[in-house]
Amino acid sequence: MEARAGANQRIARISAHLQPSNFQEKGDAILKRAECRAKGGAPGFKVAILGAAGGIGQSLSLLMKINPLVSVLHLYDVVNTPGVTADISHMDTGAVVRGFLGQPQLESALTGVDLVIIPAGVPRKPGMTRDDLFKINAGIVKTLSEGIAKSCPNAIVNLISNPVNSTVAIAAEVFKKAGTYDPKRLLGVTALDVVRANTFVAEVLGVDPREVDVPVVGGHAGVTILPLLSQVKPPSSFTAEETEYLTNRIQNGGTEVVEAKAGAGSATLSMAYAAAKFADACLRGLKGEAGVVECAFVDSQVTELPFFATKVRLGRAGAEEVYQLGPLNEYERIGLEKAKKELAGSIQKGIDFIRK
């Protein structure tokens, strides 16, 4: 009899994370960190992905399930999370996976989370500007940010939802209103610009992209994306033509993919890869690893703008140090002025969305 009761309990426990509705019925016991880890979860961090069933979200969920620093992985979306959760939960890696469906479960999805990654929102379609995106995604980011302020105000937030140049300002305003804003813990993810820059520069140099490091500063759209080719590692020099070609290709990498997919989506796979790479850097920082440096769009005093992407040092408190731009050549100085001009309007648009 006892054996049967034990077996039934185990079955109930296994099915619990596949049935989001169970969270409501069975209280919060299932969410307790100790409870999760006692079931074979490795010691590590609790990560939530908001928008886990989308184009970026599914691949990102897969990649975070593989990450050995993740012990508990919460997958939240407004549709299709039970299926994605069931699928990913079958992977034989250490992270325990739980699914959450719809806004009533947002709070449960975020409780006790160390790192929140937000790919939620609609993707860009051919002919769509990042402005068209703004109208839809601004409201989504506002709602999710309110959930974070309430349920995990100390979490580090990786914001992917476009337009990042505006959505980071939206999240910051929501957190300020709630009294939970910590500028070090809110990071706009520009890692895809760096990933593309490394790849395209490696092609021109004829080297392995893993050996290349290109600082990309400014923002995360069009001319606001400024690769600092004069600071490339390994040190390299480029002709005027190469500089122009590389800068344009890095700035328009997103459009290149949107057009190639011809209506079937935007850059979801490379974005998920870049987001997973950046999230891993954040987790290594949280763990206390020294010298973790990545580019991100953060609250910044580097320019006169309130937010700007530069290299940051990631640690237990998030972006613990924001690095200056370093020496720029003339081409980059001109690019910087163009970037700042467009960026100022995008940031203001995000601020106004909450304040007005």
Coordinates of all heavy atoms in Angstrom, one line a residue, residues 203-283:
E203 N 35.0 36.7 -41.3 CA 34.9 36.4 -42.7 C 35.9 37.2 -43.5 O 36.6 36.7 -44.4 CB 33.5 36.6 -43.2 CG 32.5 35.4 -42.9 CD 31.1 35.8 -43.3 OE1 30.9 36.8 -44.0 OE2 30.2 35.0 -42.9
V204 N 35.9 38.5 -43.2 CA 36.8 39.4 -43.9 C 38.3 39.2 -43.6 O 39.1 39.2 -44.5 CB 36.4 40.9 -43.5 CG1 37.5 41.9 -44.0 CG2 35.1 41.3 -44.2
L205 N 38.5 38.8 -42.3 CA 39.9 38.6 -41.9 C 40.4 37.1 -42.2 O 41.6 36.8 -42.2 CB 40.1 38.8 -40.4 CG 39.9 40.2 -39.9 CD1 40.0 40.2 -38.3 CD2 40.9 41.2 -40.5
G206 N 39.4 36.3 -42.5 CA 39.8 34.9 -42.8 C 40.2 34.1 -41.6 O 41.1 33.3 -41.6
V207 N 39.6 34.4 -40.4 CA 39.9 33.7 -39.2 C 38.7 33.1 -38.6 O 37.6 33.3 -39.0 CB 40.6 34.7 -38.1 CG1 41.9 35.2 -38.7 CG2 39.7 35.8 -37.7
D208 N 38.9 32.3 -37.5 CA 37.8 31.7 -36.8 C 37.1 32.8 -36.0 O 37.7 33.5 -35.2 CB 38.4 30.6 -35.8 CG 37.3 29.8 -35.1 OD1 36.3 30.3 -34.7 OD2 37.6 28.6 -34.9
P209 N 35.7 32.8 -36.1 CA 35.0 33.9 -35.4 C 35.2 33.8 -33.9 O 35.0 34.8 -33.2 CB 33.5 33.7 -35.7 CG 33.5 32.5 -36.6 CD 34.8 32.1 -37.0
R210 N 35.5 32.6 -33.3 CA 35.7 32.5 -31.9 C 36.9 33.2 -31.4 O 37.1 33.5 -30.2 CB 35.8 31.0 -31.5 CG 34.4 30.3 -31.6 CD 34.5 28.8 -31.5 NE 35.3 28.3 -32.6 CZ 35.5 27.0 -32.8 NH1 34.9 26.1 -31.9 NH2 36.2 26.5 -33.8
E211 N 37.8 33.6 -32.3 CA 39.0 34.3 -32.0 C 38.8 35.9 -32.0 O 39.8 36.6 -31.7 CB 40.2 33.9 -32.9 CG 40.6 32.5 -32.7 CD 41.5 32.0 -33.9 OE1 41.9 32.8 -34.7 OE2 41.7 30.8 -34.0
V212 N 37.7 36.3 -32.5 CA 37.4 37.7 -32.8 C 36.6 38.3 -31.7 O 35.6 37.7 -31.2 CB 36.7 37.9 -34.2 CG1 36.4 39.3 -34.4 CG2 37.6 37.3 -35.3
D213 N 36.9 39.5 -31.3 CA 36.1 40.3 -30.4 C 35.9 41.7 -30.9 O 36.8 42.5 -30.9 CB 36.7 40.3 -29.0 CG 35.9 41.0 -27.9 OD1 34.6 41.0 -28.1 OD2 36.4 41.6 -27.0
V214 N 34.6 42.0 -31.3 CA 34.3 43.3 -31.8 C 33.4 44.1 -30.8 O 32.3 43.6 -30.5 CB 33.6 43.3 -33.1 CG1 33.4 44.7 -33.7 CG2 34.3 42.4 -34.1
P215 N 33.9 45.2 -30.2 CA 33.0 45.9 -29.3 C 31.9 46.6 -30.2 O 32.2 47.2 -31.2 CB 33.9 47.0 -28.7 CG 35.3 46.7 -29.1 CD 35.2 45.8 -30.3
V216 N 30.6 46.4 -29.8 CA 29.6 47.1 -30.5 C 28.8 48.0 -29.5 O 28.4 47.5 -28.5 CB 28.6 46.1 -31.2 CG1 27.5 46.9 -32.0 CG2 29.4 45.2 -32.1
V217 N 28.8 49.3 -29.8 CA 28.2 50.2 -28.8 C 27.0 51.0 -29.4 O 26.7 50.8 -30.6 CB 29.3 51.3 -28.4 CG1 30.5 50.5 -27.8 CG2 29.7 52.2 -29.6
G218 N 26.4 51.8 -28.6 CA 25.2 52.6 -29.1 C 23.9 52.0 -28.7 O 23.5 52.1 -27.5
G219 N 23.2 51.4 -29.6 CA 21.9 50.9 -29.4 C 21.7 49.6 -30.1 O 22.7 48.9 -30.4
H220 N 20.5 49.2 -30.4 CA 20.2 47.9 -31.1 C 19.2 48.1 -32.2 O 18.2 47.3 -32.3 CB 19.6 47.0 -30.0 CG 19.4 45.6 -30.5 ND1 20.3 44.8 -31.0 CD2 18.2 44.8 -30.5 CE1 19.8 43.6 -31.4 NE2 18.6 43.6 -31.0
A221 N 19.5 49.0 -33.1 CA 18.6 49.2 -34.3 C 19.4 50.1 -35.3 O 19.8 51.2 -34.9 CB 17.3 49.8 -33.9
G222 N 19.5 49.6 -36.5 CA 20.0 50.4 -37.6 C 21.3 51.2 -37.3 O 22.2 50.7 -36.8
V223 N 21.2 52.6 -37.5 CA 22.4 53.4 -37.3 C 22.8 53.5 -35.9 O 23.9 54.0 -35.6 CB 22.3 54.8 -37.9 CG1 22.0 54.8 -39.4 CG2 21.2 55.6 -37.2
T224 N 22.0 53.1 -34.9 CA 22.4 53.2 -33.5 C 23.3 52.1 -33.2 O 24.0 52.1 -32.1 CB 21.1 53.1 -32.5 OG1 20.6 51.8 -32.6 CG2 20.1 54.2 -32.9
I225 N 23.5 51.1 -34.0 CA 24.4 50.0 -33.8 C 25.8 50.4 -34.4 O 25.9 50.6 -35.6 CB 24.0 48.7 -34.6 CG1 22.6 48.2 -34.1 CG2 25.0 47.6 -34.4 CD1 21.9 47.2 -34.9
L226 N 26.7 50.6 -33.5 CA 28.1 51.1 -33.9 C 29.2 50.2 -33.6 O 29.6 50.1 -32.4 CB 28.3 52.5 -33.3 CG 29.6 53.2 -33.7 CD1 29.6 53.6 -35.2 CD2 29.8 54.5 -32.9
P227 N 29.6 49.4 -34.5 CA 30.8 48.5 -34.3 C 32.1 49.3 -34.3 O 32.3 50.1 -35.2 CB 30.8 47.5 -35.5 CG 30.0 48.2 -36.5 CD 29.1 49.3 -35.9
L228 N 32.9 49.1 -33.2 CA 34.1 49.9 -33.1 C 35.2 49.0 -33.7 O 36.0 48.3 -33.0 CB 34.4 50.2 -31.6 CG 33.3 51.1 -30.9 CD1 33.8 51.4 -29.5 CD2 33.1 52.4 -31.7
L229 N 35.3 49.1 -35.0 CA 36.3 48.2 -35.8 C 37.7 48.6 -35.5 O 38.6 47.8 -35.6 CB 36.0 48.3 -37.3 CG 34.6 47.8 -37.7 CD1 34.3 48.0 -39.1 CD2 34.4 46.3 -37.4
S230 N 38.0 49.8 -35.0 CA 39.3 50.2 -34.7 C 39.8 49.5 -33.4 O 41.0 49.5 -33.1 CB 39.4 51.7 -34.5 OG 38.7 52.1 -33.3
Q231 N 38.9 48.9 -32.6 CA 39.2 48.3 -31.4 C 39.1 46.7 -31.4 O 39.1 46.1 -30.4 CB 38.3 48.8 -30.2 CG 38.5 50.3 -29.9 CD 37.6 50.8 -28.8 OE1 37.2 50.0 -27.9 NE2 37.3 52.1 -28.8
V232 N 39.0 46.2 -32.6 CA 38.8 44.8 -32.8 C 40.0 44.0 -32.2 O 41.2 44.4 -32.3 CB 38.7 44.4 -34.3 CG1 38.9 42.9 -34.6 CG2 37.3 44.9 -34.9
K233 N 39.7 42.9 -31.6 CA 40.8 41.9 -31.2 C 40.6 40.7 -32.0 O 39.5 40.2 -32.1 CB 40.6 41.6 -29.7 CG 41.1 42.8 -28.8 CD 40.9 42.4 -27.4 CE 41.3 43.6 -26.5 NZ 40.6 43.7 -25.3
P234 N 41.6 40.1 -32.6 CA 43.0 40.6 -32.7 C 43.1 41.9 -33.4 O 42.4 42.1 -34.4 CB 43.7 39.5 -33.4 CG 42.7 38.8 -34.3 CD 41.4 38.9 -33.5
P235 N 44.1 42.8 -33.0 CA 44.2 44.1 -33.7 C 44.3 43.9 -35.2 O 45.1 43.1 -35.7 CB 45.5 44.6 -33.1 CG 45.7 43.9 -31.8 CD 45.1 42.6 -32.0
S236 N 43.5 44.7 -35.9 CA 43.4 44.5 -37.4 C 43.1 45.9 -38.0 O 42.6 46.8 -37.3 CB 42.2 43.6 -37.7 OG 42.2 42.5 -36.9
S237 N 43.6 46.1 -39.2 CA 43.2 47.3 -39.9 C 42.4 47.0 -41.1 O 42.5 46.0 -41.7 CB 44.5 48.1 -40.3 OG 45.3 47.3 -41.1
F238 N 41.4 47.9 -41.3 CA 40.5 47.7 -42.4 C 40.5 48.9 -43.4 O 40.7 50.0 -43.0 CB 39.0 47.6 -41.9 CG 38.8 46.4 -40.9 CD1 38.9 46.6 -39.6 CD2 38.6 45.1 -41.4 CE1 38.8 45.6 -38.7 CE2 38.4 44.1 -40.5 CZ 38.5 44.3 -39.1
T239 N 40.4 48.6 -44.7 CA 40.3 49.7 -45.7 C 39.0 50.4 -45.5 O 38.1 49.9 -44.8 CB 40.3 49.1 -47.1 OG1 39.1 48.4 -47.3 CG2 41.5 48.2 -47.4
A240 N 38.8 51.6 -46.1 CA 37.6 52.4 -46.0 C 36.4 51.6 -46.5 O 35.3 51.6 -45.9 CB 37.8 53.7 -46.7
E241 N 36.7 50.8 -47.6 CA 35.6 50.0 -48.2 C 35.2 48.9 -47.2 O 34.0 48.7 -47.1 CB 36.0 49.4 -49.5 CG 36.3 50.4 -50.7 CD 37.6 51.2 -50.5 OE1 38.5 50.7 -49.9 OE2 37.6 52.3 -51.1
E242 N 36.1 48.2 -46.6 CA 35.8 47.2 -45.7 C 35.0 47.7 -44.5 O 34.1 47.1 -44.0 CB 37.1 46.5 -45.2 CG 37.7 45.6 -46.3 CD 39.1 45.0 -45.9 OE1 39.8 45.7 -45.1 OE2 39.5 44.0 -46.4
T243 N 35.5 48.8 -44.0 CA 34.8 49.5 -42.8 C 33.4 49.8 -43.1 O 32.5 49.5 -42.4 CB 35.6 50.7 -42.4 OG1 36.9 50.4 -42.0 CG2 34.9 51.4 -41.2
E244 N 33.1 50.4 -44.3 CA 31.8 50.7 -44.8 C 30.9 49.5 -44.9 O 29.8 49.4 -44.4 CB 31.9 51.5 -46.1 CG 30.6 52.1 -46.6 CD 30.2 53.3 -45.7 OE1 31.0 54.0 -45.1 OE2 29.0 53.5 -45.6
Y245 N 31.5 48.4 -45.6 CA 30.8 47.2 -45.8 C 30.4 46.5 -44.5 O 29.2 46.1 -44.3 CB 31.6 46.3 -46.7 CG 31.2 44.8 -46.6 CD1 30.1 44.3 -47.3 CD2 31.9 43.9 -45.8 CE1 29.7 43.0 -47.2 CE2 31.5 42.6 -45.7 CZ 30.4 42.1 -46.4 OH 30.0 40.8 -46.3
L246 N 31.4 46.4 -43.6 CA 31.1 45.7 -42.3 C 30.1 46.5 -41.5 O 29.2 45.9 -40.9 CB 32.5 45.5 -41.6 CG 33.4 44.4 -42.1 CD1 34.8 44.5 -41.5 CD2 32.8 43.0 -41.8
T247 N 30.3 47.8 -41.4 CA 29.4 48.6 -40.5 C 28.0 48.4 -41.0 O 27.0 48.1 -40.3 CB 29.8 50.0 -40.5 OG1 31.2 50.1 -40.0 CG2 28.9 50.9 -39.6
N248 N 27.8 48.6 -42.4 CA 26.4 48.4 -42.9 C 25.8 47.1 -42.7 O 24.7 46.9 -42.4 CB 26.4 48.8 -44.4 CG 26.6 50.3 -44.7 OD1 26.2 51.1 -43.8 ND2 27.2 50.6 -45.8
R249 N 26.7 46.0 -42.9 CA 26.1 44.7 -42.8 C 25.8 44.4 -41.3 O 24.7 43.7 -41.1 CB 27.2 43.6 -43.3 CG 26.5 42.3 -43.4 CD 27.3 41.3 -44.2 NE 26.5 40.0 -44.2 CZ 27.1 38.8 -44.2 NH1 28.4 38.7 -44.3 NH2 26.4 37.7 -44.1
I250 N 26.6 44.8 -40.4 CA 26.3 44.6 -39.0 C 25.0 45.4 -38.6 O 24.1 44.9 -37.9 CB 27.5 45.0 -38.1 CG1 28.7 44.1 -38.3 CG2 27.1 45.0 -36.6 CD1 30.0 44.7 -37.9
Q251 N 24.9 46.6 -39.1 CA 23.7 47.4 -38.8 C 22.4 46.9 -39.3 O 21.3 47.0 -38.8 CB 23.9 48.9 -39.3 CG 24.9 49.7 -38.4 CD 25.1 51.1 -39.0 OE1 24.9 51.4 -40.1 NE2 25.7 51.9 -38.1
N252 N 22.5 46.2 -40.5 CA 21.3 45.7 -41.2 C 21.2 44.2 -41.2 O 20.5 43.6 -42.0 CB 21.4 46.2 -42.7 CG 21.3 47.7 -42.7 OD1 20.4 48.3 -42.2 ND2 22.3 48.3 -43.3
G253 N 21.9 43.6 -40.2 CA 21.9 42.1 -40.1 C 20.5 41.6 -39.9 O 20.1 40.5 -40.5
G254 N 19.7 42.3 -39.1 CA 18.3 41.9 -38.8 C 17.5 41.9 -40.1 O 16.7 40.9 -40.3
T255 N 17.6 42.9 -40.8 CA 16.8 43.1 -42.1 C 17.2 42.0 -43.1 O 16.4 41.5 -43.8 CB 17.1 44.5 -42.7 OG1 16.8 45.5 -41.7 CG2 16.2 44.8 -43.9
E256 N 18.5 41.7 -43.1 CA 19.0 40.6 -44.0 C 18.3 39.3 -43.8 O 17.9 38.6 -44.7 CB 20.5 40.4 -43.7 CG 21.3 39.5 -44.7 CD 22.8 39.4 -44.3 OE1 23.4 40.4 -44.1 OE2 23.3 38.3 -44.3
V257 N 18.1 39.0 -42.5 CA 17.4 37.7 -42.1 C 15.9 37.8 -42.4 O 15.3 36.9 -43.0 CB 17.6 37.4 -40.7 CG1 16.8 36.1 -40.3 CG2 19.1 37.1 -40.4
V258 N 15.3 39.0 -42.1 CA 13.8 39.2 -42.3 C 13.5 39.0 -43.8 O 12.6 38.3 -44.2 CB 13.4 40.6 -41.8 CG1 12.0 40.9 -42.4 CG2 13.4 40.6 -40.3
E259 N 14.4 39.6 -44.7 CA 14.2 39.5 -46.1 C 14.4 38.1 -46.6 O 13.7 37.6 -47.4 CB 15.0 40.5 -46.8 CG 14.5 41.9 -46.7 CD 15.5 43.0 -47.2 OE1 16.6 42.6 -47.7 OE2 15.1 44.2 -47.1
A260 N 15.5 37.4 -46.1 CA 15.8 36.0 -46.5 C 14.7 35.1 -46.1 O 14.4 34.1 -46.9 CB 17.1 35.6 -45.9
K261 N 14.0 35.3 -45.0 CA 12.9 34.4 -44.5 C 11.6 34.8 -45.2 O 10.6 34.0 -45.1 CB 12.7 34.5 -43.0 CG 13.9 33.9 -42.2 CD 13.5 33.7 -40.8 CE 14.6 32.9 -40.0 NZ 14.3 32.6 -38.6
A262 N 11.6 35.9 -46.0 CA 10.5 36.2 -46.9 C 9.1 36.0 -46.2 O 8.2 35.4 -46.7 CB 10.6 35.4 -48.1
G263 N 8.9 36.6 -45.0 CA 7.6 36.6 -44.4 C 7.5 35.5 -43.4 O 6.5 35.4 -42.7
A264 N 8.5 34.6 -43.3 CA 8.4 33.5 -42.4 C 9.1 33.7 -41.0 O 9.4 32.8 -40.3 CB 8.9 32.2 -43.0
G265 N 9.3 35.0 -40.7 CA 9.9 35.3 -39.4 C 11.1 36.2 -39.5 O 11.4 36.7 -40.5
S266 N 11.7 36.4 -38.3 CA 12.9 37.3 -38.2 C 14.0 36.5 -37.6 O 13.9 35.2 -37.6 CB 12.5 38.5 -37.3 OG 12.2 38.1 -36.0
A267 N 15.1 37.1 -37.2 CA 16.2 36.4 -36.7 C 15.9 35.8 -35.3 O 16.0 36.4 -34.3 CB 17.4 37.3 -36.5
T268 N 15.5 34.5 -35.3 CA 15.1 33.9 -34.1 C 16.2 32.9 -33.6 O 16.4 32.8 -32.4 CB 13.8 33.0 -34.2 OG1 14.0 32.2 -35.4 CG2 12.6 33.9 -34.5
L269 N 16.9 32.2 -34.5 CA 17.8 31.2 -34.1 C 19.1 31.9 -33.6 O 19.6 31.5 -32.5 CB 18.1 30.2 -35.2 CG 16.8 29.5 -35.7 CD1 17.1 28.8 -37.0 CD2 16.3 28.6 -34.7
S270 N 19.7 32.8 -34.4 CA 20.9 33.5 -34.0 C 20.6 34.3 -32.8 O 21.5 34.5 -31.9 CB 21.5 34.3 -35.2 OG 20.5 35.1 -35.7
M271 N 19.4 34.9 -32.7 CA 19.0 35.7 -31.5 C 19.0 34.8 -30.2 O 19.5 35.2 -29.2 CB 17.7 36.4 -31.7 CG 17.2 37.3 -30.6 SD 18.3 38.7 -30.3 CE 18.9 38.3 -28.6
A272 N 18.4 33.6 -30.4 CA 18.4 32.7 -29.2 C 19.8 32.3 -28.8 O 20.1 32.3 -27.6 CB 17.6 31.5 -29.5
Y273 N 20.7 32.1 -29.7 CA 22.1 31.8 -29.4 C 22.7 32.9 -28.7 O 23.4 32.7 -27.7 CB 22.8 31.4 -30.8 CG 24.3 31.5 -30.6 CD1 25.0 30.4 -30.0 CD2 25.1 32.6 -31.0 CE1 26.4 30.5 -29.8 CE2 26.4 32.7 -30.9 CZ 27.1 31.6 -30.2 OH 28.4 31.7 -30.1
A274 N 22.6 34.1 -29.2 CA 23.2 35.3 -28.6 C 22.7 35.5 -27.2 O 23.4 35.9 -26.3 CB 23.0 36.5 -29.5
A275 N 21.4 35.4 -27.1 CA 20.7 35.6 -25.7 C 21.2 34.6 -24.7 O 21.4 34.9 -23.6 CB 19.2 35.5 -25.9
A276 N 21.4 33.3 -25.2 CA 21.8 32.2 -24.3 C 23.3 32.5 -23.9 O 23.7 32.3 -22.7 CB 21.7 30.9 -25.0
K277 N 24.1 33.0 -24.8 CA 25.5 33.3 -24.6 C 25.6 34.5 -23.5 O 26.4 34.4 -22.6 CB 26.1 33.7 -25.9 CG 27.6 33.8 -25.9 CD 28.2 34.2 -27.3 CE 29.7 34.4 -27.2 NZ 30.2 34.9 -28.5
F278 N 24.7 35.5 -23.7 CA 24.7 36.6 -22.8 C 24.2 36.2 -21.4 O 24.7 36.6 -20.4 CB 23.9 37.8 -23.4 CG 23.9 39.0 -22.5 CD1 25.0 39.8 -22.5 CD2 22.8 39.4 -21.7 CE1 25.1 40.9 -21.7 CE2 22.9 40.5 -20.9 CZ 24.0 41.3 -20.9
A279 N 23.1 35.4 -21.4 CA 22.5 34.9 -20.1 C 23.6 34.1 -19.4 O 23.7 34.2 -18.1 CB 21.3 34.1 -20.4
D280 N 24.4 33.3 -20.1 CA 25.4 32.5 -19.5 C 26.4 33.4 -18.8 O 26.9 33.1 -17.7 CB 26.1 31.6 -20.5 CG 27.2 30.8 -19.9 OD1 26.9 29.9 -19.1 OD2 28.4 31.0 -20.2
A281 N 26.8 34.5 -19.5 CA 27.7 35.5 -18.9 C 27.2 36.1 -17.6 O 27.9 36.2 -16.6 CB 28.0 36.6 -19.9
C282 N 25.8 36.4 -17.6 CA 25.2 36.9 -16.4 C 25.2 35.9 -15.3 O 25.5 36.3 -14.1 CB 23.7 37.3 -16.7 SG 23.6 38.8 -17.8
L283 N 25.0 34.7 -15.6 CA 25.0 33.6 -14.6 C 26.4 33.4 -14.0 O 26.6 33.2 -12.8 CB 24.5 32.3 -15.1 CG 23.0 32.3 -15.5 CD1 22.6 31.0 -16.1 CD2 22.1 32.6 -14.2

